[in-house]
Amino acid sequence: MLLKPTETIGEQIYKALRREIIEMRIKPGEKLSEAQMAERFKVSRAPVRDAIRRLEQEKLVLVKPQIGTIVSEIFPDQAAEICEVRLLLEPHAAFVATSRISEDDLALLKTAFDRLLTLPEGSEERRALVFQTDTDLHGMIWRACNNREIDNILERYRDRMRRIQLTTMELANRLAPSEQEMRKIFEGLVARDAECARGAMYCHISNIKKAFESAMKNRISAEGAEK
């Protein structure tokens, strides 16, 4: 592992594991072994332990005595509450952002949406770009609404939002529908149509909430059938 001059080994391991957990490459409920992580990163256990301690502080992992380190689950009640906060704040943010978002931001989003049309359906590259475009779209709207409290509140939930959305895309097959919903929001912004942008945002987040609830029910049913 190449070490950046300004970062410790523990910092780089923390960032790598954090990214993999948020992007669901390491799944909820999966066990993290200090020994395996130390071997993977070619380091001693000490920096791995430091990284895990930071992840535990962010509630991304749980450290259980006699069991080990487990990646935190995404609990349905918590996900529902986060979606409710988003439903209260993000449609309003989209409404306000339509008159304030810059042409440069709109141009960046247009480039991303145009590129999505050139990528094969179901490809990993398209999947990654949908996630990145979603992150950029929401972030630009939060900033453009010019309300620091809204931006701060939503930014606090960003990592959990990403895990919730990735869950719906993987378990509820929402990659294509989510992309279409994002385009509707974008179209509202381009047209400077505040009502269109607000309605499209409300629909998008409502569908994420419904899909997550459905995915969790299906998962619980599947786990019950296996027992």
Side-chain angles (χ1 to χ4, degrees), residues 39-53:
E39 182 178 350
R40 171 187 166 185
F41 291 107
K42 311 299 182 190
V43 296
S44 68
R45 290 196 185 189
V48 173
R49 201 169 293 124
D50 289 341
I52 288 174
R53 191 176 300 116

